[in-house]
Amino acid sequence: MKRLPVGLFMGMLSACYFADIARVALQPSEVRANPTIPAAAAACLSNPNCMAAMVTIGGVVYWEIREGFNIRHIPLAPMLGDPGNVAGRRETHAVANSAICDEMLRNFQQRGRRLKLIERRYVGGQLPYLCIFEGVDAQPGYYDDNRYK
Amino acid sequence: MNLVIYSLCRESDLLRKAPKDPNFNEEPIKVEWSEDVPGVGQSVSLGGEQRWFKVQITRYQSAQQDIDVYFVHVNRTLAVPVGWDCDGRENETIHVELSTVGESILGFAFNVLGEAPKVGSRLMNYQRTSHPTLMQETSSDWIRDRYDECIPQGAAPYKAIYLTWCKQNVLTTAQLQA
């Protein structure tokens, strides 16, 4: 009978173990229908010498990537949520020029929305600026959905 | 060493009348390291073929670092426009996120509240979504480690420019368990 290398065998055991942890750790309300696998984890999954699994450490879910003695953790949270767009806290909008951030703010204030313009971040490209608003009335996608109303 | 920030402001009238002006397809912000001090009347490229004139230059100085920061307004002609869309920002600050001197910048933002950077906070990456203007944030491998405050000598378009020095911080087991 062909024997598996000890490392690979241990790796398979660990993978099962971590998969179980992941099943326990991920509550249904946290999981999107089709979560994206980060590039590092995807590359690892296609590499027989690398192991990728979801683990929870301190209540936070991570992709754990093990390659030899090198262990990395990539938080899952950015994929499951978006810190830039959180109802009641923060809205982020991409715009063509920085003056639009001020127009958006005036628009929001006229509607009685309790939001502050915090930052105009330059990111380049077709919509080079981000307008970042914070406040209790933050609602992701609000401006675009209500632009013509 | 000098850090030069070029800012392409739009004339307010133009902004109202021609929001799709093709001249503004160029990058409205450019940041570069330079041994040379910028001068009024010199021209510069902002990524396209057009040359832009340096029409207003403000020097910001830091007490900690041997770096001068120059904020340079550029225009299509040598004249300073009467009304710009970037006027009236005197209470705002600029945050330039950097790794080391001479390297490309990691990030650039206008802080509308006039605040200093938050040391220890993580830089974010921004990705387009299927929504036309909604962007998704994800964590980057960089955190804000410290900053130098650069102050103008007199009247200036922005209250201060913060050079925010960042360091790479990939999460490890040791850090998570600490």
Side-chain angles (χ1 to χ4, degrees):
Chain A
M1 189 177 118
K2 194 176 175 184
R3 291 184 63 182
L4 285 171
V6 174
L8 180 59
F9 178 67
M10 292 302 289
M12 288 165 69
L13 269 182
S14 302
C16 296
Y17 171 69
F18 287 125
D20 277 341
I21 290 178
R23 272 195 289 275
V24 172
L26 290 170
Q27 298 301 314
S29 61
E30 293 176 319
V31 182
R32 282 185 178 177
N34 186 18
T36 313
I37 298 176
C44 178
L45 287 169
S46 63
N47 176 358
N49 297 318
C50 185
M51 277 197 343
M54 282 183 277
V55 298
T56 51
I57 303 170
V60 180
V61 184
Y62 296 89
W63 275 99
E64 182 171 277
I65 298 170
R66 288 171 173 251
E67 196 166 11
F69 291 106
N70 186 13
I71 303 174
R72 283 185 296 155
H73 289 95
I74 300 171
L76 200 59
M79 293 184 296
L80 299 175
D82 176 1
N85 293 286
V86 179
R89 265 183 58 195
R90 195 165 157 105
E91 282 180 30
T92 302
H93 301 269
V95 295
N97 69 67
S98 65
I100 295 175
C101 297
D102 302 304
E103 290 172 23
M104 274 189 171
L105 180 64
R106 277 193 293 275
N107 175 312
F108 293 162
Q109 286 173 339
Q110 283 168 4
R111 292 162 189 263
R113 303 185 70 212
R114 291 163 294 173
L115 288 177
K116 276 184 185 174
L117 177 61
I118 302 296
E119 188 174 273
R120 286 187 295 269
R121 177 160 285 272
Y122 180 72
V123 291
Q126 271 192 322
L127 296 175
Y129 287 96
L130 299 181
C131 314
I132 300 176
F133 296 91
E134 285 184 358
V136 293
D137 291 331
Q139 187 182 323
Y142 177 92
Y143 185 75
D144 188 71
D145 297 339
N146 294 274
R147 184 175 297 182
Y148 303 109
K149 292 179 184 172
Chain B
M1 184 65 105
N2 303 308
L3 184 70
V4 186
I5 302 168
Y6 297 102
S7 170
L8 172 57
C9 297
R10 296 215 229 191
E11 294 161 61
S12 299
D13 282 348
L14 188 61
L15 187 66
R16 274 194 293 273
K17 291 173 189 167
K20 299 283 185 191
D21 186 331
N23 285 323
F24 292 105
N25 285 337
E26 301 197 51
E27 295 294 326
I29 297 285
K30 178 180 172 181
V31 184
E32 66 181 16
W33 293 100
S34 174
E35 296 288 350
D36 303 323
V37 172
V40 170
Q42 294 172 338
S43 66
V44 64
S45 163
L46 295 180
E49 289 182 7
Q50 172 136 8
R51 304 297 293 182
W52 299 87
F53 290 104
K54 303 173 192 178
V55 295
Q56 186 177 301
I57 299 172
T58 310
R59 184 182 177 198
Y60 289 75
Q61 285 181 291
S62 162
Q64 289 86 28
Q65 284 265 350
D66 191 20
I67 297 172
D68 282 338
V69 180
Y70 291 90
F71 190 84
V72 181
H73 280 131
V74 300
N75 194 22
R76 280 173 293 182
T77 68
L78 275 169
V80 177
V82 177
W84 286 355
D85 66 338
C86 50
D87 280 344
R89 312 281 194 208
E90 296 83 2
N91 293 321
E92 298 185 8
T93 55
I94 290 176
H95 297 183
V96 187
E97 288 128 7
L98 304 153
S99 55
T100 54
V101 172
E103 289 292 317
S104 301
I105 63 165
L106 301 170
F108 185 96
F110 300 97
N111 186 287
V112 180
L113 305 181
E115 297 169 330
K118 292 186 175 77
V119 170
S121 61
R122 190 169 285 274
L123 299 192
M124 307 303 282
N125 294 322
Y126 298 90
Q127 293 165 336
R128 297 292 304 272
T129 66
S130 55
H131 190 288
T133 69
L134 193 63
M135 298 291 279
Q136 187 178 31
E137 285 187 14
T138 53
S139 299
S140 81
D141 288 342
W142 295 91
I143 60 166
R144 295 172 178 87
D145 186 41
R146 62 188 175 83
Y147 61 78
D148 293 318
E149 184 184 51
C150 302
I151 302 292
Q153 298 304 298
Y158 294 90
K159 190 168 75 174
I161 295 176
Y162 290 95
L163 303 183
T164 311
W165 301 99
C166 303
K167 64 178 182 184
Q168 271 200 302
N169 179 272
V170 180
L171 291 166
T172 64
T173 306
Q175 284 172 315
L176 291 164
Q177 290 173 344

